[in-house]
Amino acid sequence: MQVFGKFSTNFDMDYLVEQYMYINENEDEKITVDDLENMLKKKRKTVAGTVFLYNPEVSPVGYKMSRFLQEEGFDKYDEFVPLNESPKDYVLNAGFKEHYKGKLVQIRYLFNYNRENIEPTPILEEFDADLDKITSSQLTRYDKQLNYIDIPNIRLSGKFVFFGIGNKYDRHHKAIIAYARALSLHVNKLDKNVVFMYDNNYDPDECIERAYYLSPFAGGKAREVRANAVKAIFKTLPPQRVKI
């Protein structure tokens, strides 16, 4: 497994605007950034699908997680760079490695702002306020293009979409809830195999309507259950929805 990403910045804030995971053919095989870019020229053949998560908490190789990478000497904005691997990457890779060796998987986020532990913080209040005026000409706290998904015009490569954005939306953040549900409903209308894990709270159709998508990452007793569910989702071709 190798992970690559592209950062952009505006007003002293960093956004991860593109990310791909490469599933290596074997332990000795490695690809370069040039190899990645060549593969992306043939997305229909090289990108297996897309994963949607909540927000990025990642750093480039050679750097630690930082609120503003430029202060750490990072100068490779708007170009792909290798990313440090994380425990979350290992959970996803464990699912992908059986059927998608030699392929790329795109990782996308509900919010692209690269920051640790944004829940619960005033940041979500600011996101909610932004989303209330996202279609207007009003200024937003976070960059409209860099932080938020243009849902009506979204383009996805590959055959599957795995929703793992999580399900714990604060009921007071009505604009965030509407944003997540709009994304869910729109993607489910596309010609993609949409998969996710779910529980006894809702059936799959209700999960889609409510954007109720359990995160593949958890702590405590749920950690192994969620990780095993990722493996079960991608055990089959095409992947499947799994109840936990």
Side-chain angles (χ1 to χ4, degrees):
M1 170 192 67
Q2 293 174 263
V3 192
F4 300 88
K6 183 184 291 186
F7 294 90
S8 287
T9 189
N10 192 15
F11 297 114
D12 297 343
M13 296 180 188
D14 289 340
Y15 304 91
L16 187 71
V17 294
E18 286 191 72
Q19 183 179 349
Y20 289 91
M21 177 181 291
Y22 177 68
I23 315 304
N24 303 83
E25 294 275 9
N26 54 64
E27 292 183 2
D28 297 325
E29 184 221 16
K30 299 290 181 184
I31 66 169
T32 65
V33 168
D34 286 343
D35 294 329
L36 170 71
E37 291 177 339
N38 286 330
M39 292 180 73
L40 290 176
K41 293 176 183 176
K42 304 175 182 178
K43 283 187 176 182
R44 287 189 176 184
K45 293 183 178 180
T46 59
V47 178
T50 301
V51 176
F52 278 99
L53 303 177
Y54 197 80
N55 84 289
E57 303 171 90
V58 304
S59 58
V61 170
Y63 296 84
K64 295 181 180 179
M65 181 67 200
S66 172
R67 292 187 180 183
F68 189 40
L69 288 166
Q70 193 171 330
E71 292 180 348
E72 312 300 322
F74 181 76
D75 62 357
K76 293 185 178 294
Y77 288 105
D78 301 313
E79 58 184 280
F80 279 110
V81 294
L83 302 180
N84 291 311
E85 297 171 3
S86 73
K88 292 181 178 180
D89 295 325
Y90 300 139
V91 170
L92 295 175
N93 180 64
F96 299 144
K97 66 182 182 180
E98 182 165 352
H99 295 300
Y100 300 108
K101 288 181 179 179
K103 298 286 188 180
L104 296 167
V105 176
Q106 185 176 28
I107 313 295
R108 297 198 61 168
Y109 296 94
L110 204 58
F111 305 106
N112 291 334
Y113 183 40
N114 191 48
R115 175 82 174 268
E116 291 180 299
N117 303 320
I118 68 171
E119 295 183 86
T121 67
I123 293 172
L124 293 185
E125 300 289 339
E126 294 168 340
F127 285 175
D128 199 58
D130 276 357
L131 289 167
D132 248 347
K133 51 194 175 188
I134 199 75
T135 58
S136 74
S137 59
Q138 299 179 66
L139 292 177
T140 54
R141 173 75 173 88
Y142 297 86
D143 190 286
K144 285 184 181 181
Q145 282 70 46
L146 299 182
N147 194 45
Y148 304 104
I149 299 169
D150 181 9
I151 294 172
N153 298 307
I154 194 169
R155 301 184 70 177
L156 302 174
S157 299
K159 295 183 178 180
F160 72 79
V161 172
F162 172 39
F163 269 112
I165 57 177
N167 62 296
K168 296 180 180 178
Y169 312 114
D170 189 310
R171 63 186 176 86
H172 299 294
H173 296 154
K174 298 186 184 303
I176 291 177
I177 293 171
Y179 172 65
R181 291 180 177 177
L183 175 66
S184 173
L185 292 171
H186 184 79
V187 169
N188 274 278
K189 292 177 183 177
L190 303 178
D191 186 24
K192 303 292 179 184
N193 177 31
V194 179
V195 296
F196 47 88
M197 61 184 78
Y198 63 102
D199 56 21
N200 286 325
N201 286 303
Y202 300 106
D203 65 34
D205 288 340
E206 291 172 321
C207 289
I208 291 167
E209 182 179 349
R210 293 172 173 268
Y212 182 89
Y213 297 119
L214 301 176
S215 170
F217 320 116
K221 296 179 181 179
R223 178 182 299 175
E224 187 174 353
V225 172
R226 301 284 180 93
N228 286 336
V230 173
K231 294 179 184 178
I233 287 169
F234 292 99
K235 184 75 173 176
T236 61
L237 275 178
Q240 60 187 336
R241 298 168 185 176
V242 167
K243 186 175 182 179
I244 60 173

PDB file of all heavy atoms in Angstrom, residues 63-80:
ATOM      1  N   TYR A  63       7.092  14.987   7.090  1.00  0.00           N
ATOM      2  CA  TYR A  63       6.469  16.020   7.912  1.00  0.00           C
ATOM      3  C   TYR A  63       5.514  15.371   8.913  1.00  0.00           C
ATOM      4  O   TYR A  63       4.930  14.320   8.650  1.00  0.00           O
ATOM      5  CB  TYR A  63       5.676  17.013   7.050  1.00  0.00           C
ATOM      6  CG  TYR A  63       6.528  17.797   6.088  1.00  0.00           C
ATOM      7  CD1 TYR A  63       6.872  17.253   4.847  1.00  0.00           C
ATOM      8  CD2 TYR A  63       6.994  19.062   6.412  1.00  0.00           C
ATOM      9  CE1 TYR A  63       7.663  17.963   3.952  1.00  0.00           C
ATOM     10  CE2 TYR A  63       7.786  19.782   5.524  1.00  0.00           C
ATOM     11  CZ  TYR A  63       8.108  19.228   4.301  1.00  0.00           C
ATOM     12  OH  TYR A  63       8.895  19.931   3.424  1.00  0.00           O
ATOM     13  N   LYS A  64       5.349  16.041  10.048  1.00  0.00           N
ATOM     14  CA  LYS A  64       4.348  15.627  11.010  1.00  0.00           C
ATOM     15  C   LYS A  64       3.033  16.356  10.707  1.00  0.00           C
ATOM     16  O   LYS A  64       3.017  17.329   9.979  1.00  0.00           O
ATOM     17  CB  LYS A  64       4.815  15.952  12.433  1.00  0.00           C
ATOM     18  CG  LYS A  64       6.045  15.163  12.861  1.00  0.00           C
ATOM     19  CD  LYS A  64       6.448  15.516  14.284  1.00  0.00           C
ATOM     20  CE  LYS A  64       7.671  14.724  14.713  1.00  0.00           C
ATOM     21  NZ  LYS A  64       8.085  15.070  16.102  1.00  0.00           N
ATOM     22  N   MET A  65       1.961  15.858  11.304  1.00  0.00           N
ATOM     23  CA  MET A  65       0.677  16.519  11.152  1.00  0.00           C
ATOM     24  C   MET A  65       0.783  17.956  11.647  1.00  0.00           C
ATOM     25  O   MET A  65       1.280  18.212  12.746  1.00  0.00           O
ATOM     26  CB  MET A  65      -0.392  15.753  11.940  1.00  0.00           C
ATOM     27  CG  MET A  65      -1.786  16.328  11.838  1.00  0.00           C
ATOM     28  SD  MET A  65      -2.458  16.187  10.170  1.00  0.00           S
ATOM     29  CE  MET A  65      -3.749  17.416  10.232  1.00  0.00           C
ATOM     30  N   SER A  66       0.328  18.903  10.824  1.00  0.00           N
ATOM     31  CA  SER A  66       0.453  20.314  11.165  1.00  0.00           C
ATOM     32  C   SER A  66      -0.786  21.060  10.713  1.00  0.00           C
ATOM     33  O   SER A  66      -1.388  20.729   9.693  1.00  0.00           O
ATOM     34  CB  SER A  66       1.692  20.918  10.483  1.00  0.00           C
ATOM     35  OG  SER A  66       1.733  22.319  10.637  1.00  0.00           O
ATOM     36  N   ARG A  67      -1.160  22.106  11.463  1.00  0.00           N
ATOM     37  CA  ARG A  67      -2.301  22.918  11.063  1.00  0.00           C
ATOM     38  C   ARG A  67      -1.987  23.734   9.812  1.00  0.00           C
ATOM     39  O   ARG A  67      -2.885  24.098   9.071  1.00  0.00           O
ATOM     40  CB  ARG A  67      -2.713  23.844  12.210  1.00  0.00           C
ATOM     41  CG  ARG A  67      -3.302  23.091  13.395  1.00  0.00           C
ATOM     42  CD  ARG A  67      -3.857  24.060  14.422  1.00  0.00           C
ATOM     43  NE  ARG A  67      -4.420  23.341  15.564  1.00  0.00           N
ATOM     44  CZ  ARG A  67      -5.018  23.931  16.584  1.00  0.00           C
ATOM     45  NH1 ARG A  67      -5.137  25.256  16.601  1.00  0.00           N
ATOM     46  NH2 ARG A  67      -5.499  23.234  17.585  1.00  0.00           N
ATOM     47  N   PHE A  68      -0.711  24.037   9.602  1.00  0.00           N
ATOM     48  CA  PHE A  68      -0.320  24.812   8.430  1.00  0.00           C
ATOM     49  C   PHE A  68       1.073  24.365   8.010  1.00  0.00           C
ATOM     50  O   PHE A  68       2.071  24.740   8.612  1.00  0.00           O
ATOM     51  CB  PHE A  68      -0.356  26.307   8.734  1.00  0.00           C
ATOM     52  CG  PHE A  68      -0.170  27.188   7.522  1.00  0.00           C
ATOM     53  CD1 PHE A  68      -0.769  26.869   6.312  1.00  0.00           C
ATOM     54  CD2 PHE A  68       0.589  28.334   7.595  1.00  0.00           C
ATOM     55  CE1 PHE A  68      -0.602  27.681   5.189  1.00  0.00           C
ATOM     56  CE2 PHE A  68       0.762  29.154   6.480  1.00  0.00           C
ATOM     57  CZ  PHE A  68       0.163  28.821   5.282  1.00  0.00           C
ATOM     58  N   LEU A  69       1.130  23.525   6.969  1.00  0.00           N
ATOM     59  CA  LEU A  69       2.376  22.876   6.572  1.00  0.00           C
ATOM     60  C   LEU A  69       3.451  23.866   6.115  1.00  0.00           C
ATOM     61  O   LEU A  69       4.639  23.592   6.238  1.00  0.00           O
ATOM     62  CB  LEU A  69       2.097  21.859   5.456  1.00  0.00           C
ATOM     63  CG  LEU A  69       1.360  20.594   5.883  1.00  0.00           C
ATOM     64  CD1 LEU A  69       0.846  19.849   4.655  1.00  0.00           C
ATOM     65  CD2 LEU A  69       2.271  19.699   6.706  1.00  0.00           C
ATOM     66  N   GLN A  70       3.027  24.988   5.582  1.00  0.00           N
ATOM     67  CA  GLN A  70       3.990  25.967   5.097  1.00  0.00           C
ATOM     68  C   GLN A  70       4.917  26.435   6.222  1.00  0.00           C
ATOM     69  O   GLN A  70       6.094  26.720   6.003  1.00  0.00           O
ATOM     70  CB  GLN A  70       3.260  27.156   4.481  1.00  0.00           C
ATOM     71  CG  GLN A  70       4.163  28.085   3.679  1.00  0.00           C
ATOM     72  CD  GLN A  70       3.364  29.124   2.911  1.00  0.00           C
ATOM     73  OE1 GLN A  70       2.235  28.862   2.516  1.00  0.00           O
ATOM     74  NE2 GLN A  70       3.932  30.285   2.704  1.00  0.00           N
ATOM     75  N   GLU A  71       4.390  26.485   7.441  1.00  0.00           N
ATOM     76  CA  GLU A  71       5.214  26.877   8.583  1.00  0.00           C
ATOM     77  C   GLU A  71       6.273  25.841   8.910  1.00  0.00           C
ATOM     78  O   GLU A  71       7.263  26.149   9.573  1.00  0.00           O
ATOM     79  CB  GLU A  71       4.324  27.122   9.803  1.00  0.00           C
ATOM     80  CG  GLU A  71       3.411  28.342   9.668  1.00  0.00           C
ATOM     81  CD  GLU A  71       2.552  28.562  10.883  1.00  0.00           C
ATOM     82  OE1 GLU A  71       2.487  27.653  11.744  1.00  0.00           O
ATOM     83  OE2 GLU A  71       1.937  29.638  10.987  1.00  0.00           O
ATOM     84  N   GLU A  72       6.068  24.617   8.439  1.00  0.00           N
ATOM     85  CA  GLU A  72       7.043  23.541   8.647  1.00  0.00           C
ATOM     86  C   GLU A  72       8.009  23.421   7.471  1.00  0.00           C
ATOM     87  O   GLU A  72       8.825  22.493   7.426  1.00  0.00           O
ATOM     88  CB  GLU A  72       6.316  22.201   8.857  1.00  0.00           C
ATOM     89  CG  GLU A  72       5.181  22.234   9.864  1.00  0.00           C
ATOM     90  CD  GLU A  72       5.637  22.650  11.243  1.00  0.00           C
ATOM     91  OE1 GLU A  72       6.751  22.229  11.635  1.00  0.00           O
ATOM     92  OE2 GLU A  72       4.904  23.393  11.925  1.00  0.00           O
ATOM     93  N   GLY A  73       7.893  24.319   6.488  1.00  0.00           N
ATOM     94  CA  GLY A  73       8.791  24.294   5.340  1.00  0.00           C
ATOM     95  C   GLY A  73       8.255  23.564   4.135  1.00  0.00           C
ATOM     96  O   GLY A  73       8.956  23.404   3.132  1.00  0.00           O
ATOM     97  N   PHE A  74       6.998  23.118   4.170  1.00  0.00           N
ATOM     98  CA  PHE A  74       6.408  22.407   3.045  1.00  0.00           C
ATOM     99  C   PHE A  74       6.135  23.389   1.899  1.00  0.00           C
ATOM    100  O   PHE A  74       5.561  24.466   2.113  1.00  0.00           O
ATOM    101  CB  PHE A  74       5.104  21.734   3.475  1.00  0.00           C
ATOM    102  CG  PHE A  74       4.419  20.947   2.401  1.00  0.00           C
ATOM    103  CD1 PHE A  74       4.898  19.703   2.018  1.00  0.00           C
ATOM    104  CD2 PHE A  74       3.286  21.446   1.766  1.00  0.00           C
ATOM    105  CE1 PHE A  74       4.259  18.964   1.034  1.00  0.00           C
ATOM    106  CE2 PHE A  74       2.649  20.715   0.781  1.00  0.00           C
ATOM    107  CZ  PHE A  74       3.135  19.479   0.417  1.00  0.00           C
ATOM    108  N   ASP A  75       6.539  23.017   0.686  1.00  0.00           N
ATOM    109  CA  ASP A  75       6.366  23.924  -0.456  1.00  0.00           C
ATOM    110  C   ASP A  75       5.849  23.222  -1.708  1.00  0.00           C
ATOM    111  O   ASP A  75       5.968  23.733  -2.813  1.00  0.00           O
ATOM    112  CB  ASP A  75       7.676  24.648  -0.770  1.00  0.00           C
ATOM    113  CG  ASP A  75       8.804  23.686  -1.160  1.00  0.00           C
ATOM    114  OD1 ASP A  75       8.581  22.454  -1.135  1.00  0.00           O
ATOM    115  OD2 ASP A  75       9.904  24.171  -1.479  1.00  0.00           O
ATOM    116  N   LYS A  76       5.254  22.045  -1.536  1.00  0.00           N
ATOM    117  CA  LYS A  76       4.786  21.278  -2.691  1.00  0.00           C
ATOM    118  C   LYS A  76       3.263  21.294  -2.790  1.00  0.00           C
ATOM    119  O   LYS A  76       2.621  20.263  -2.991  1.00  0.00           O
ATOM    120  CB  LYS A  76       5.319  19.843  -2.626  1.00  0.00           C
ATOM    121  CG  LYS A  76       6.828  19.746  -2.803  1.00  0.00           C
ATOM    122  CD  LYS A  76       7.299  18.294  -2.852  1.00  0.00           C
ATOM    123  CE  LYS A  76       8.797  18.201  -3.067  1.00  0.00           C
ATOM    124  NZ  LYS A  76       9.201  18.694  -4.381  1.00  0.00           N
ATOM    125  N   TYR A  77       2.687  22.470  -2.627  1.00  0.00           N
ATOM    126  CA  TYR A  77       1.246  22.601  -2.793  1.00  0.00           C
ATOM    127  C   TYR A  77       0.860  22.393  -4.258  1.00  0.00           C
ATOM    128  O   TYR A  77       1.633  22.686  -5.172  1.00  0.00           O
ATOM    129  CB  TYR A  77       0.782  23.979  -2.338  1.00  0.00           C
ATOM    130  CG  TYR A  77       0.808  24.169  -0.838  1.00  0.00           C
ATOM    131  CD1 TYR A  77       1.796  24.925  -0.225  1.00  0.00           C
ATOM    132  CD2 TYR A  77      -0.155  23.574  -0.030  1.00  0.00           C
ATOM    133  CE1 TYR A  77       1.823  25.105   1.155  1.00  0.00           C
ATOM    134  CE2 TYR A  77      -0.142  23.740   1.350  1.00  0.00           C
ATOM    135  CZ  TYR A  77       0.849  24.498   1.926  1.00  0.00           C
ATOM    136  OH  TYR A  77       0.861  24.660   3.299  1.00  0.00           O
ATOM    137  N   ASP A  78      -0.349  21.852  -4.441  1.00  0.00           N
ATOM    138  CA  ASP A  78      -0.938  21.668  -5.768  1.00  0.00           C
ATOM    139  C   ASP A  78      -0.161  20.693  -6.646  1.00  0.00           C
ATOM    140  O   ASP A  78      -0.206  20.762  -7.875  1.00  0.00           O
ATOM    141  CB  ASP A  78      -1.109  23.015  -6.482  1.00  0.00           C
ATOM    142  CG  ASP A  78      -2.001  23.960  -5.696  1.00  0.00           C
ATOM    143  OD1 ASP A  78      -3.071  23.514  -5.244  1.00  0.00           O
ATOM    144  OD2 ASP A  78      -1.610  25.133  -5.496  1.00  0.00           O
ATOM    145  N   GLU A  79       0.548  19.767  -6.009  1.00  0.00           N
ATOM    146  CA  GLU A  79       1.176  18.655  -6.726  1.00  0.00           C
ATOM    147  C   GLU A  79       1.138  17.431  -5.828  1.00  0.00           C
ATOM    148  O   GLU A  79       1.109  17.539  -4.597  1.00  0.00           O
ATOM    149  CB  GLU A  79       2.612  18.982  -7.128  1.00  0.00           C
ATOM    150  CG  GLU A  79       3.547  19.351  -5.984  1.00  0.00           C
ATOM    151  CD  GLU A  79       4.923  19.765  -6.477  1.00  0.00           C
ATOM    152  OE1 GLU A  79       5.729  18.850  -6.789  1.00  0.00           O
ATOM    153  OE2 GLU A  79       5.193  20.973  -6.547  1.00  0.00           O
ATOM    154  N   PHE A  80       1.080  16.263  -6.433  1.00  0.00           N
ATOM    155  CA  PHE A  80       0.994  15.034  -5.644  1.00  0.00           C
ATOM    156  C   PHE A  80       2.296  14.786  -4.880  1.00  0.00           C
ATOM    157  O   PHE A  80       3.395  14.991  -5.413  1.00  0.00           O
ATOM    158  CB  PHE A  80       0.701  13.837  -6.544  1.00  0.00           C
ATOM    159  CG  PHE A  80      -0.749  13.706  -6.905  1.00  0.00           C
ATOM    160  CD1 PHE A  80      -1.180  13.950  -8.205  1.00  0.00           C
ATOM    161  CD2 PHE A  80      -1.696  13.340  -5.954  1.00  0.00           C
ATOM    162  CE1 PHE A  80      -2.516  13.831  -8.547  1.00  0.00           C
ATOM    163  CE2 PHE A  80      -3.040  13.221  -6.284  1.00  0.00           C
ATOM    164  CZ  PHE A  80      -3.441  13.471  -7.582  1.00  0.00           C
TER     165      PHE A  80
END
